[in-house]
Amino acid sequence: MKKIEKRALLCLLFGLILLGGVCFFIYEDWNEGGAWAVYEGNRDVYADGDLAKGALYDTDGELLMRNTADGMIYNDDADVRAACMHITGDRDNNISTGANRVFLERMIGFDFINGIYSLNNDGEDVSLTLDGDICATAYRALSGRKGTVGVYNYKTGEIVCMVSSPTYDPEDPPSTIPEGAYINRFISAAFAPGSTFKLVTAAASIETQDDAYSYEVNCEGSIDYGHGDEVTDLSVHGTVSLKKALEVSCNCYFARLSEKVGSRTLKKYVKKAGLDRSYDIDGIETKAGTFDFPDGGVNLAWTGIGQWHDMVNPCGMMVYMGAIANGGTAVMPSIIKPSNIVSEKIDAATTALKTDDMIDEETAEALTSMMRNNVENHYGGNSAFPGLELCAKSGTAEVEGQDRPNAWFTGFLNDENNPYAFVVVVENSGYGSEVGGAVINTVLQDLVNQ
Amino acid sequence: MDNGYDGIMEYVTLYFTTGVRWVCMGLAILILLHQIFALLRMRNPSEIWAYLKCPDSSTVPLTHWENLMGRARGCDIILNLSGVSRSHGTLVRDSEGVWEYRDLNSKNGSFINGRRVTEPAILRAGDTLTVGGGDFQLYPLSARERIENIEKRKRHTKRTSPWLSMLAITIFQLLTVIQFHVALGDDYPGQLTAAFIILCATMWAYVIALRMLRRTGFEVELIAFFLSTLSLSLTASAYPYAVLKQAFCVLLGVMLFFAMCWFLRDLNKAKKLIPVFLGASVLLLILNLAIGTVAYGSQNWISLGGFTFQPSELIKIAFIFIGAASLNELQQRKNLAIFLGFSVFCLGCLAIMGDFGTAMIFFATYLVISFLRSGDFTKMFLVLGGAGLMGLMVLRFKPYIADRFSVWRHVWDDPTDAGFQQVQTMTSIASGGIPGLGAGEGNLSDVAAASTDLVFGMLAEEWGLVIAVLAVLCIITLGVFAYRSIIAGRSTYYSIAACAATSMFMFQTILNVFGSVDLLPLTGVTFPFVSSGGTSMIVSWGMLAFLKAADTRQNASLAVRVHEKDPDKGLKSVESVSAVDIYDPEDLYALLGEEYKKPPKKARKQEPRASEPVRSKPIAESAKPKPQPEPERTLFRRKKSEAAPAPAAKSTPAKPSSTSAPAQPSRTPATPGVRREEPQHPKAVRYTEVSDEDFFGKFDPPAPKKNAKAEEDGPLTLDDIFGNDGIFNDGKKGGKR
C-alpha cells in the first residue's frame, strides 16, 4: 500500500496539469478575451456578419450613430453626419477611427466580467465627449478645404471638436469618394508644423540658455549657408529678441537659435513635448510625429523652424498647447465619457491622466505671455477674436508640390471658464494666422457662447 | 390590455435572464465549493485491522488489508532484522477477514509454526510466523479497540449534510427550466421539463435510499449530479429533442453506479467475474469492428435496434476492472500479462476504428495503471518510446490527425476552416464572461459537436467561466480524493482502480478542455459527466463506483461494507453496548494511559531492542481481578451467548483475552459522564451504524459449528467475545493443533 501511495502521486500530476492549463487559459482569456469577443466570426455578436448592436451619442445625448439589424442609423443633420463621419464610421467600415472598429468592444458591451451580455442583446450606448454641433460648425468653417480642427478641454482632457476634411455624408455618400476622405487627419496624419514648432525651440532655449531672453539676432531677411543653402524670411526684421522673433515669426532668429541650442537639446525638447509619441485616446492610437535632427548647418536651422523633415500630428500639437496652458503638464485627451462612476474610477486607476512634465512652469508662463503677445500685436487681437483671451502661434508650412502653404494655427484660451486648447490645419490654403485664425474664431465663438 | 400584459412579461423575462445568470452562478459556487471543500477537508483516519506482535513484544497495527513485509522502506511493515529480504512476504486479509501469508521468494524463507511457507498459507491468530529469525504473531483487535477506532474515525470524519446542496441543486434545476422557457419561447420542447424532473427525482431517490441504508457520504455523488444537470441543460441547447434520452441515461448511470458499488463490496466475488468482463469486452470490440458505424471520422458506434452506443466507452470500465490488482496479484506475471494483452488488443481495435482520442485515453490510463502496479520508470519509458513511435505512425497514416496537429496553437491563422471549432469556442468563452449569457442563449450550440467536444466553450458561454472552471475543479477534486483515500485504503485493488478511474477522468478532461481552447490539438473526447451523449454519461457514473469503493470513511460509501447481516444480532449488540457505556473514547483514553495515545506510526517503526514495548501494559494488567465480567462479555457477545466466566487462557494465547481485560475498569468512570451528557438511545443507534460486518461477521464454514458449541457449552469463548470472525475461529484451531 505504501508503495502505491507514492506512485499515485502520478495521478495528482494529471490534476496539476489540468489546474495549470486552466489557469493559463484564464490568463489568456483575460488578455485576449476582448479580441476574441469582437472577432467577426463570433456568433454571439454578429448576425450574418453584420454588427447589430451598440450606439454612439455626443456629449449632449444627441444620437450620432446606431447599429441596427437594418444597418447603421445616423444623426438627422447632414452637417453633423459629415463632421462626425470620422468617428461614427461609414457604412462600409472603411474609416479606421470609426466607432465600429475602434470602440467595438464598447459598442458590443464587452468586458471580462460580463462578456458580451447586454439587456435584450442591444449592446451598449457609448457617449462621446464630442459636441456634434461644434463639429458641424468646424466642418462648415473649413468650407470644403482639406484640413482638420481639434479642440479639447485642457482641464479635463475631453475632446469637444474633432473634424477632418475631406469628408462626406455617410448616409448619402457621393458617387466618387474624395481622395483621403477615409483618413482622420486629426488622429492619423502628420504635417510639417511650420512656425508653430518655434514654440518648442523657444522652450528649449528658455530652459537651457542663460541669455534666452536677451539673446538678439539681426535679421537681414536671409542667412546664407553656402552652396546655395539659405534660410529666408518674408521681410527684414532687424534686430530681434525672443519675444519679438516669436511675434513676427522670424526665421533668421530661430535659425541662429537652433544652432545655439544644438541638435541634441532640440531633440530632447521634442521628446519632452511629446511630439514624437503616440497618444492612446480611449483606444484610438494617434500617429507619432517624426523628426530628423541634423548635427548643424542649414538643415538644423530649418529643423528648429519646423520645416526640413519635421512632421507633427495635429493632436500631439494640441496636447502640447494644453501643457503650456496648464503650467507645463497636459491632461491626456479622451473622447469617451465614462458610462458610470465605477468605470470612471477604473479608467482613472488604469490609465495615465496626465502627461509627464513637458516644460517648466515658468517656461509655460513665459510662452503664454508671448503667445498672448502674438495675438494682440500680430494676429489681429480683439478685433479678429472678439471676447476671447486667445494665446496662439501660427504656422505657414511650405509643402513641396502644393501651390499654397499649409496654414497652422494652434494655441489655447487663457480663460478659467473656457479652458480650451486647439489646433487647426488647413492644407494648401495660405497664411496660418489668416486662414487658421478665421476657422478657429468661428469654432471658439460657437463653443464659448453656446 | 393584452399588449400591456405582453409588455410586462417581456420586461420580466428580459430581467429574469439578467438576474438568473448571477443567481445560478451563486448556487453553483455554493454547491460545488461546499462539496469540494468537504472532500478536500476530509481526513480519513486509518482503520486498524489487526496487530502484529513482534519479537521484542511490541505490536504493529495493520492499517491495510494488504501489507508488504520486508526490510525495504516502501514496505508497509518494515522489519529491521538481518535475515529479512527487502520484500519478504505479504500479509493479506480478504473481505471475509481471513489473513493469508505469502512468501515472496525470500532468501531465508518464512515459517509458520515452524513449517516452511512454500505456498500461500492462512495465518491464524496465535500462529507463529518466523521471518528472518524473529517470531511474529497476529492478533485481532479487542472489541473495545474496535469501538475506539470507530469512534476516533467518526470524530475525524467530518460529515457534510447533503440536504442544503440538494435543495440548491433543485432550485438550480428549477431556474434552468424557467430560463429555457424564457430563452426558447415557443420552441420550448415539452420533454425538457420531464427530463429535469427525472434527474431531480433520481437524485432525491438515490440520496434518500442511501440514507435509509445509513450511508452519509454523498459529496462525490452530488458533484456528479450537479455536473449531470449541466449536461442536461447543454444537451437542451444543442439537441433539444435528445434531453429526455440524456435524462434516462443519467438514471441508467446511477443504476449502474449503484450496482457496481454493490458488486465491488466483495472483492473476492468481483474478481471472479473478471474473465467474464474480459470476454465480453473482447467480443464487444470485435462486434464493433464488424458492424460498427462511422460517425465524426471514426467507426466507434454500434447501432442495435434503433439504439446507438459506443462500445469503446463501456470498455473503459472493464479496462480498469482488469487493470487493477491486489497486492498478491502485483507479484504475478500472469496477471500482468493478461492486462498487457488486453491493453494491446484495445488499443489495436481503437486504432483500426480510427478513434484517436479514446485510444489516447486508454493509453494514458494504461500508463497510469502500469506505473501504479510496477512503479518502474524504465519500463514506463520503454512503453512511452514505443507509443511515441506508434503515434508517429498514426500521424503518418492519418492525415486528418496531422491536420489537427498542424493547426495547433495557430487556430487564429485559419479561423474559418482548420481552426474553426477552437476559434468558435474561444470567442464564445469570451462572450460568456463570468456569469454566462444564460442557458439557451448561446450560439456556440449551432457548431458541430458543441455539446460534446467543445462542451467547455458551451459551458462557459451559457453558464459562465466560473461554472466552467468549477466543473474542471470538480474533476481535479475527485482525483485528489482518490489519492488521499489510499492512505486508509484497504486493498491495492481499490486504490489502483480509484486512481486509474480518476486519472482517466482527468486525462479526458485535459484532452477535452485543452483541445477545445487550443492548448492541445483537438482530439474530440468527452468531458466526464458534462458532455452530451448517453454512453459517456452512463460510463462516467459507472467509473464513479471505483472511487466510491475506495472511500473508506466510516459509513460513507455504499461500496464499502458496513452493516450487519443479521439484524437480530445487530440489535442485540446495540442493547448491550448502551448498557455498558464504554464507547466514549475520552474515557477509554483516560483509562488506557499515555502509551495508548501515542500515534500508531511510532509503534510501527520497529526497533529490535525497544525498551518500552508499546502494548506491554495490557499484558501486565491481565492479572487484574475481574469484579464484573458479565457486562463485559455481553457487550461483545451475540444474542445466544450467555454470560459465563471466561477462562482467560482457554486454548488461545493469553494476548487477546488480556487486551480485552482493561475494558472492565472503564465501565465505572465512564458511566456517569456519558449518561449525563447524552441520552443513551442516540448513542446506541450510532453504534449500530458503526458496527462492522467484518467485525461481527461470519466466517462461513466453521462458524455455525463453533457457535453451536459455544451455545451448548456455556463457558465464554473468544468466539463469543469477538464474534466468529474468521481470524478467531481459525486462531483457536491453530491453538489446538
Side-chain angles (χ1 to χ4, degrees):
Chain A
M1 289 304 294
K2 224 178 183 180
K3 283 184 175 171
I4 302 277
E5 197 177 317
K6 292 215 178 82
R7 292 172 196 164
L9 282 169
L10 180 74
C11 305
L12 293 186
L13 191 68
F14 278 121
L16 269 179
I17 294 171
L18 195 49
L19 193 66
V22 167
C23 290
F24 177 74
F25 175 72
I26 292 173
Y27 170 77
E28 269 198 335
D29 186 25
W30 170 262
N31 270 337
E32 309 277 333
W36 294 348
V38 302
Y39 165 62
E40 59 204 295
N42 188 351
R43 286 152 196 268
D44 293 319
V45 174
Y46 295 88
D48 304 324
D50 285 327
L51 181 68
K53 29 167 90 172
L56 205 62
Y57 291 87
D58 85 343
T59 185
D60 301 325
E62 288 278 328
L63 178 76
L64 295 180
M65 185 273 287
R66 173 187 293 283
N67 291 309
T68 70
D70 306 319
M72 295 160 89
I73 295 173
Y74 290 95
N75 189 275
D76 294 334
D77 186 316
D79 283 353
V80 173
R81 292 199 294 267
C84 297
M85 200 267 283
H86 287 97
I87 193 71
T88 60
D90 65 325
R91 289 216 155 106
D92 297 324
N93 218 6
N94 285 317
I95 312 288
S96 64
T97 58
N100 283 353
R101 286 171 70 163
V102 288
F103 302 146
L104 195 50
E105 278 186 34
R106 285 187 174 86
M107 305 283 282
I108 290 167
F110 176 83
D111 61 68
F112 183 75
I113 303 291
N114 254 305
I116 56 108
Y117 181 83
S118 59
L119 207 56
N120 217 10
N121 213 6
D122 281 341
E124 295 292 317
D125 293 340
V126 177
S127 289
L128 300 180
T129 59
L130 292 182
D131 186 324
D133 297 329
I134 301 294
C135 291
T137 305
Y139 165 69
R140 283 188 291 265
L142 282 172
S143 60
R145 292 169 292 185
K146 289 183 179 180
T148 181
V149 180
V151 181
Y152 98 125
N153 182 318
Y154 58 76
K155 294 283 183 204
T156 62
E158 293 179 347
I159 298 176
V160 292
C161 175
M162 177 178 81
V163 173
S164 173
S165 177
T167 179
Y168 60 90
D169 179 359
E171 205 164 274
D172 183 21
S175 50
T176 48
I177 304 293
E179 199 194 329
Y182 293 150
I183 297 167
N184 185 337
R185 286 169 153 66
F186 180 73
I187 300 285
S188 318
F191 302 91
S195 301
T196 55
F197 186 79
K198 285 171 183 165
L199 291 168
V200 179
T201 313
S205 170
I206 291 168
E207 293 187 3
T208 58
Q209 310 295 313
D210 294 335
D211 59 348
Y213 296 107
S214 56
Y215 175 69
E216 289 179 343
V217 167
N218 183 18
C219 168
E220 294 167 333
S222 70
I223 303 171
D224 187 4
Y225 282 83
H227 310 294
D229 294 336
E230 56 175 4
V231 168
T232 55
D233 259 312
L234 292 173
S235 57
V236 178
H237 296 120
T239 301
V240 287
S241 66
L242 181 62
K243 185 179 174 184
K244 190 67 184 172
L246 202 66
E247 181 195 318
V248 299
S249 205
C250 177
N251 285 348
C252 292
Y253 182 89
F254 279 94
R256 289 293 182 210
L257 194 62
S258 306
E259 292 177 85
K260 181 166 179 268
V261 166
S263 177
R264 287 181 63 168
T265 310
L266 208 55
K267 183 175 181 178
K268 183 180 154 199
Y269 275 82
V270 164
K271 194 173 172 59
K272 269 184 86 173
L275 294 180
D276 63 346
R277 62 166 282 192
S278 166
Y279 290 98
D280 180 336
I281 308 174
D282 297 315
I284 308 177
E285 298 280 331
T286 66
K287 188 177 171 71
T290 52
F291 297 86
D292 178 18
F293 296 97
D295 286 337
V298 70
N299 292 339
L300 177 62
W302 279 121
T303 298
I305 299 167
Q307 295 280 178
W308 185 231
H309 291 159
D310 298 5
M311 294 297 269
V312 172
N313 169 256
C315 180
M317 183 60 88
M318 183 187 78
V319 175
Y320 186 52
M321 294 304 122
I324 297 171
N326 242 358
T329 313
V331 179
M332 286 291 187
S334 65
I335 198 161
I336 289 180
K337 280 186 176 177
S339 51
N340 54 50
I341 187 96
V342 177
S343 62
E344 190 177 345
K345 295 283 176 213
I346 291 173
D347 283 355
T350 53
T351 56
L353 292 177
K354 289 198 165 187
T355 63
D356 295 335
D357 276 347
M358 289 182 166
I359 44 175
D360 292 343
E361 204 169 338
E362 297 86 55
T363 317
E365 276 170 26
L367 286 178
T368 301
S369 77
M370 284 191 270
M371 288 166 78
R372 180 64 195 153
N373 177 57
N374 295 348
V375 173
E376 281 174 343
N377 296 323
H378 210 77
Y379 303 153
N382 208 39
S383 60
F385 307 99
L388 299 178
E389 185 69 14
L390 194 73
C391 307
K393 180 74 191 83
S394 67
T396 307
E398 301 289 346
V399 180
E400 254 180 80
Q402 273 184 201
D403 304 341
R404 282 171 288 179
N406 288 349
W408 276 79
F409 199 66
T410 187
F412 54 90
L413 292 182
N414 193 10
D415 179 350
E416 281 291 311
N417 298 320
N418 295 295
Y420 296 111
F422 62 85
V423 64
V424 176
V425 180
V426 187
E427 293 170 49
N428 199 10
S429 60
Y431 292 109
S433 58
E434 267 173 48
V435 179
V439 170
I440 203 61
N441 183 51
T442 318
V443 174
L444 289 178
Q445 292 298 342
D446 232 21
L447 185 59
V448 169
N449 300 318
Q450 72 177 353
Chain B
M1 180 74 189
D2 202 39
N3 230 341
Y5 174 76
D6 282 353
I8 291 169
M9 279 316 289
E10 200 178 300
Y11 233 68
V12 169
T13 53
L14 205 60
Y15 284 99
F16 180 81
T17 306
T18 309
V20 83
R21 297 150 60 231
W22 293 97
V23 173
C24 283
M25 190 183 95
L27 284 173
I29 291 173
L30 180 83
I31 297 160
L32 295 182
L33 289 191
H34 192 211
Q35 304 303 332
I36 286 174
F37 278 123
L39 282 185
L40 294 182
R41 205 180 45 212
M42 70 131 200
R43 288 190 300 169
N44 191 0
S46 298
E47 296 163 292
I48 297 173
W49 298 101
Y51 287 100
L52 192 66
K53 184 169 174 261
C54 303
D56 62 345
S57 353
S58 68
T59 46
V60 179
L62 302 180
T63 54
H64 305 292
W65 282 8
E66 299 177 347
N67 304 278
L68 184 62
M69 297 173 79
R71 209 156 36 82
R73 255 163 191 260
C75 291
D76 300 296
I77 305 164
I78 302 169
L79 308 176
N80 288 330
L81 297 172
S82 52
V84 173
S85 301
R86 290 185 58 77
S87 295
H88 199 100
T90 58
L91 191 55
V92 173
R93 176 196 196 276
D94 68 7
S95 45
E96 305 290 343
V98 179
W99 289 88
E100 191 184 66
Y101 179 81
R102 258 174 218 240
D103 188 74
L104 297 175
N105 294 324
S106 62
K107 206 171 153 193
N108 297 326
S110 317
F111 304 86
I112 292 180
N113 296 335
R115 218 173 298 163
R116 176 137 192 172
V117 181
T118 47
E119 291 195 342
I122 290 173
L123 189 66
R124 301 172 177 89
D127 284 357
T128 302
L129 170 67
T130 311
V131 171
D135 289 347
F136 295 85
Q137 278 171 316
L138 189 68
Y139 292 118
L141 273 74
S142 73
R144 183 176 50 82
E145 286 166 323
R146 282 178 177 154
I147 295 174
E148 187 195 298
N149 279 335
I150 289 168
E151 284 297 321
K152 201 160 109 195
R153 283 164 50 73
K154 284 178 82 176
R155 272 187 298 126
H156 287 300
T157 310
K158 276 187 185 140
R159 285 284 138 69
T160 313
S161 162
W163 307 116
L164 182 69
S165 288
M166 285 174 64
L167 191 68
I169 292 176
T170 308
I171 295 172
F172 188 95
Q173 289 164 339
L174 184 70
L175 289 175
T176 307
V177 170
I178 299 174
Q179 166 59 28
F180 268 108
H181 264 291
V182 169
L184 302 180
D186 295 336
D187 296 333
Y188 180 84
Q191 56 163 276
L192 209 147
T193 319
F196 273 92
I197 289 174
I198 289 173
L199 177 63
C200 189
T202 308
M203 176 179 78
W204 283 95
Y206 172 81
V207 175
I208 290 171
L210 261 84
R211 282 304 290 233
M212 285 164 74
L213 292 170
R214 298 202 207 89
R215 306 299 152 134
T216 51
F218 294 103
E219 298 90 347
V220 171
E221 292 95 319
L222 287 185
I223 286 176
F225 273 117
F226 184 76
L227 295 180
S228 301
T229 304
L230 293 178
S231 173
L232 221 54
S233 129
L234 297 175
T235 310
S237 279
Y239 310 107
Y241 293 96
V243 192
L244 202 56
K245 192 195 114 201
Q246 188 75 4
F248 275 119
C249 286
V250 176
L251 183 60
L252 281 175
V254 174
M255 283 157 67
L256 176 67
F257 169 73
F258 204 91
M260 279 186 58
C261 280
W262 206 269
F263 176 69
L264 279 170
R265 296 162 60 141
D266 192 332
L267 203 49
N268 290 355
K269 265 187 226 160
K271 278 193 204 154
K272 281 186 189 120
L273 278 175
I274 284 181
V276 180
F277 278 115
L278 197 64
S281 305
V282 170
L283 270 178
L284 207 54
L285 279 174
I286 291 172
L287 197 68
N288 192 169
L289 285 177
I291 65 163
T293 47
V294 179
Y296 306 116
S298 52
Q299 183 200 1
N300 55 357
W301 295 82
I302 287 186
S303 185
L304 279 181
F307 200 79
T308 54
F309 68 102
Q310 281 179 292
S312 54
E313 289 281 324
L314 288 173
I315 306 291
K316 284 178 184 171
I317 294 180
F319 193 73
I320 289 177
F321 245 120
I322 294 160
S326 60
L327 187 61
N328 283 330
E329 286 164 338
L330 291 182
Q331 323 293 338
Q332 299 166 359
R333 286 246 170 79
K334 186 185 144 211
N335 189 281
L336 186 67
I338 291 172
F339 176 55
L340 199 67
F342 183 61
S343 304
V344 169
F345 178 76
C346 285
L347 282 169
C349 288
L350 288 166
I352 295 170
M353 288 176 214
D355 191 347
F356 183 64
T358 312
M360 289 276 288
I361 292 168
F362 272 78
F363 186 66
T365 313
Y366 166 74
L367 287 182
V368 169
I369 292 179
S370 49
F371 181 67
L372 285 174
R373 291 178 66 129
S374 70
D376 191 340
F377 264 110
T378 357
K379 211 182 285 171
M380 291 243 329
F381 283 126
L382 274 175
V383 174
L384 266 177
L389 285 173
M390 210 177 76
L392 280 177
M393 299 255 288
V394 170
L395 286 184
R396 176 134 172 66
F397 289 116
K398 293 275 180 182
Y400 85 100
I401 294 174
D403 275 354
R404 293 193 166 176
F405 271 91
S406 71
V407 79
W408 178 41
R409 298 306 287 167
H410 297 286
V411 291
W412 286 97
D413 298 344
D414 192 4
T416 53
D417 188 19
F420 177 72
Q421 286 176 303
Q422 294 94 323
V423 164
Q424 287 296 327
T425 304
M426 284 189 271
T427 57
S428 300
I429 292 170
S431 294
I434 297 296
L437 298 177
E441 303 278 7
N443 288 299
L444 183 64
S445 47
D446 301 336
V447 176
S451 65
T452 52
D453 302 352
L454 312 179
V455 76
F456 184 71
M458 226 182 132
L459 203 54
E461 184 190 32
E462 300 201 356
W463 291 101
L465 192 62
V466 167
I467 291 185
V469 170
L470 277 174
V472 175
L473 285 183
C474 286
I475 301 294
I476 296 175
T477 308
L478 296 184
V480 175
F481 177 71
Y483 170 72
R484 293 178 52 171
S485 71
I486 299 173
I487 296 161
R490 293 181 177 177
S491 164
T492 56
Y493 188 89
Y494 292 132
S495 299
I496 291 176
C499 284
T502 50
S503 296
M504 199 183 252
F505 277 166
M506 287 193 284
F507 191 71
Q508 249 180 285
T509 312
I510 287 173
L511 288 188
N512 176 285
V513 174
F514 294 0
S516 66
V517 299
D518 197 30
L519 295 181
L520 283 177
L522 188 65
T523 33
V525 302
T526 56
F527 190 133
F529 295 106
V530 181
S531 284
S532 291
T535 329
S536 161
M537 175 63 82
I538 295 172
V539 168
S540 298
W541 274 98
M543 303 266 284
L544 205 61
F546 289 118
L547 194 59
K548 228 29 202 171
D551 180 5
T552 56
R553 290 174 299 164
Q554 200 68 50
N555 296 7
S557 170
L558 180 69
V560 178
R561 207 179 265 162
V562 163
H563 77 121
E564 66 290 337
K565 262 183 186 162
D566 177 2
D568 217 0
K569 172 178 73 186
L571 206 74
K572 178 70 184 174
S573 48
V574 171
E575 288 164 4
S576 316
V577 169
S578 56
V580 186
D581 289 327
I582 61 150
Y583 43 77
D584 188 282
E586 296 304 324
D587 295 313
L588 283 168
Y589 289 146
L591 270 162
L592 285 165
E594 284 305 309
E595 295 96 325
Y596 211 85
K597 288 183 181 171
K598 282 183 186 168
K601 266 196 174 175
K602 278 195 175 173
R604 194 188 281 194
K605 287 234 165 169
Q606 301 235 344
E607 284 164 79
R609 272 182 239 162
S611 54
E612 266 189 49
V614 175
R615 273 166 49 86
S616 61
K617 205 168 180 179
I619 301 173
E621 281 174 8
S622 65
K624 275 189 181 176
K626 300 172 187 174
Q628 286 174 301
E630 288 85 2
E632 196 255 328
R633 264 177 267 129
T634 52
L635 166 56
F636 305 110
R637 279 175 52 173
R638 241 71 47 71
K639 194 177 176 181
K640 290 164 193 164
S641 318
E642 284 307 310
K650 184 215 172 196
S651 85
T652 43
K655 174 88 181 186
S657 58
S658 64
T659 42
S660 63
Q664 272 117 38
S666 70
R667 248 178 61 253
T668 332
T671 309
V674 174
R675 279 200 181 136
R676 194 184 60 236
E677 294 197 12
E678 274 192 63
Q680 302 228 338
H681 189 63
K683 275 275 185 184
V685 171
R686 273 172 67 198
Y687 182 64
T688 326
E689 283 175 21
V690 301
S691 73
D692 191 319
E693 185 194 25
D694 295 325
F695 297 162
F696 297 97
K698 301 172 185 145
F699 182 54
D700 287 317
K705 210 174 104 195
K706 283 287 152 193
N707 254 358
K709 204 180 177 194
E711 258 169 72
E712 288 161 18
D713 291 352
L716 182 72
T717 64
L718 281 160
D719 270 325
D720 298 322
I721 298 176
F722 297 111
N724 44 1
D725 207 329
I727 313 165
F728 240 73
N729 285 317
D730 293 332
K732 271 202 310 182
K733 273 193 238 160
K736 275 176 185 167
R737 204 160 42 197

